[in-house]
Amino acid sequence: MELTTNYLGLTLAHPFMPGASPLSDNLDTVRELEDAGASAIVMRSLFEEQVVRDRYGLVYATHTDTATRAAIASYFPSSSEYALTPHQYLEQIRLIKARVSIPVIASLNGTTAEGWLECARALQSAGADAVELNFYHIATDVLEDGNSVERRLLNVVAVLKETVRIQVAVKLSPFYSSLPHLASRIESLGADGLVLFNRFYQPDIDPDELDAAPRLQLSASSDLLLRLRWLAILSQSVRGSLAVTGGVHEPIHAVKAVMAGADGVQLVSALLQKGPWHLTTIRRGFEQWCEAHRYGSIDQIRDSMSLALSPDPHAFERGHYARILQSWGR
Ligand SMILES: Cc1cc2nc3c(=O)[nH]c(=O)nc-3n(C[C@H](O)[C@H](O)[C@H](O)COP(=O)(O)O)c2cc1C
């Protein structure tokens, strides 16, 4: 079974890799991931706020009022709470590159196209083979319309592409008015791939403390459905790479993601819960399923589903929506 895939211009042995997470923090774990068959390593993110604080000693310098600035600064981790300082992040890239022979994808997490993006050049010099940009942005400003939010993302992508030679993937959220249009604009700026989707960590409320109660919840396989829909829709127009992140826990989830159009399949929650060797289970299970169903290559699996895709995804969505609502109780 030919599992080779092209992801961001990198030829990978297969699509399965650990996604951005603490799994890249420990060099022994990274080595274990490679031994378990990871085709690449995606590192945890280096945050814009870290880089800005490291350089200028401030987070969100735009507020003039000192009390507001202090309140905002208190939302963020202190420098020592981040797992890696910007300097240590670069060192970690070098150490990982020295330890494993698979590609290493660094991750930047930010929402402005300001000077902090220059640090991408340092990631490249440290040996990163590609960079994943996580644009984690929640639109909260009544004066910022949808177009401006998209422009903000596109500016970050444009500056990042001008800054580095290595390939750039953009990790998106699903909450845009028209993802196909946005995806085509991101591609037109030269981005090499999209990663679907960012998971938003939704704070709960602690009613006794009258405070927000942020919780880190690992994913469930039900998270995959949203990704499958958008992989299937975007794979019809996106020419670059597509990766899935969110809800892949078992081999059959990986089969569905590749069928829907994924070139790369990232796992985090499943590996945190079951350990790096679960990657071997995913790859073997994927291979067994494909062989049992007489598929010979990744391309063949992807093509098999694209033949079944609707020529009119809008009508497909409306039609199936109407039908499913009628089916209750019948
Ligand atoms: C503990 C933890 C840390 C994470 N750190 C990052 C990060 O630094 N950057 C990032 O882009 N995503 C980060 N993520 C999100 C994952 O990369 C991934 O997109 C998400 O967990 C969904 O994939 P999964 O269902 O395989 O867990 C993190 C997730 C977890 C659980």
Side-chain angles (χ1 to χ4, degrees):
M1 169 84 195
E2 178 58 56
L3 292 181
T4 313
T5 186
N6 183 307
Y7 178 57
L8 305 176
L10 305 164
T11 302
L12 304 182
H14 57 76
F16 316 117
M17 67 189 82
S21 70
L23 287 160
S24 60
D25 292 353
N26 179 297
L27 290 176
D28 290 336
T29 308
V30 171
R31 188 54 198 265
E32 224 181 316
L33 285 161
E34 184 184 45
D35 291 344
S39 59
I41 299 286
V42 187
M43 293 177 66
R44 71 153 68 237
S45 295
L46 179 60
F47 284 79
E48 172 178 2
E49 292 81 2
Q50 273 184 281
V51 177
V52 170
R53 190 181 331 221
D54 199 56
R55 262 197 208 169
Y56 310 111
L58 292 168
V59 180
Y60 282 96
T62 45
H63 287 269
T64 45
D65 159 36
T66 323
T68 309
R69 276 194 355 210
I72 289 173
S74 75
Y75 302 152
F76 286 85
S78 63
S79 301
S80 60
E81 282 173 273
Y82 286 101
L84 300 168
T85 64
H87 177 76
Q88 288 167 335
Y89 195 94
L90 298 179
E91 192 51 26
Q92 186 71 359
I93 297 177
R94 289 189 198 100
L95 292 170
I96 295 176
K97 286 294 290 179
R99 196 76 182 261
V100 298
S101 55
I102 47 181
V104 176
I105 302 172
S107 165
L108 287 178
N109 204 313
T111 59
T112 76
E114 308 296 331
W116 77 283
L117 280 172
E118 280 164 29
C119 76
R121 211 171 285 131
L123 305 181
Q124 174 179 276
S125 305
D129 296 281
V131 60
E132 189 176 282
L133 168 73
N134 184 334
F135 182 78
Y136 186 99
H137 175 263
I138 309 260
T140 55
D141 184 348
V142 288
L143 298 177
E144 194 176 33
D145 65 14
N147 244 328
S148 314
V149 172
E150 292 192 3
R151 215 171 314 118
R152 177 195 273 270
L153 164 61
L154 295 168
N155 284 342
V156 181
V157 175
V159 171
L160 184 56
K161 274 303 289 184
E162 280 163 19
T163 308
V164 290
R165 271 178 292 104
I166 52 176
Q167 313 285 85
V168 171
V170 182
K171 187 168 178 176
L172 284 176
S173 95
F175 306 121
Y176 291 99
S177 305
S178 173
L179 269 172
H181 178 73
L182 180 63
S184 79
R185 293 186 71 191
I186 292 173
E187 274 207 311
S188 69
L189 293 171
D192 306 280
L194 299 175
V195 183
L196 311 178
F197 285 119
N198 224 331
R199 269 185 87 230
F200 281 79
Y201 295 100
Q202 304 170 84
D204 201 350
I205 284 181
D206 181 335
D208 294 323
E209 295 296 325
L210 292 180
D211 204 355
R215 279 178 302 149
L216 197 153
Q217 230 171 354
L218 297 181
S219 73
S221 58
S222 53
D223 290 359
L224 183 63
L225 298 181
L226 181 73
R227 277 91 183 153
L228 294 180
R229 161 183 284 165
W230 285 107
L231 281 167
I233 293 173
L234 293 180
S235 61
Q236 297 198 45
S237 56
V238 166
R239 287 183 306 279
S241 300
L242 288 172
V244 66
T245 175
V248 177
H249 285 250
E250 299 301 333
I252 195 63
H253 305 144
V255 169
K256 292 178 187 179
V258 173
M259 276 188 167
D263 306 290
V265 175
Q266 301 184 355
L267 294 94
V268 172
S269 296
L271 300 183
L272 290 175
Q273 284 166 322
K274 298 182 178 162
W277 288 98
H278 191 59
L279 262 182
T280 315
T281 310
I282 296 284
R283 185 175 49 74
R284 286 210 187 118
F286 179 90
E287 213 167 359
Q288 279 162 7
W289 190 94
C290 294
E291 281 168 5
H293 292 78
R294 301 185 187 286
Y295 288 102
S297 70
I298 292 283
D299 285 344
Q300 223 183 359
I301 304 171
R302 229 182 270 117
D303 289 348
S304 69
M305 191 64 196
S306 67
L307 290 176
L309 286 176
S310 164
D312 187 339
H314 173 73
F316 176 94
E317 289 285 345
R318 283 293 298 171
H320 281 73
Y321 166 64
R323 175 169 290 156
I324 202 79
L325 295 189
Q326 310 312 313
S327 69
W328 181 255
R330 289 200 175 202

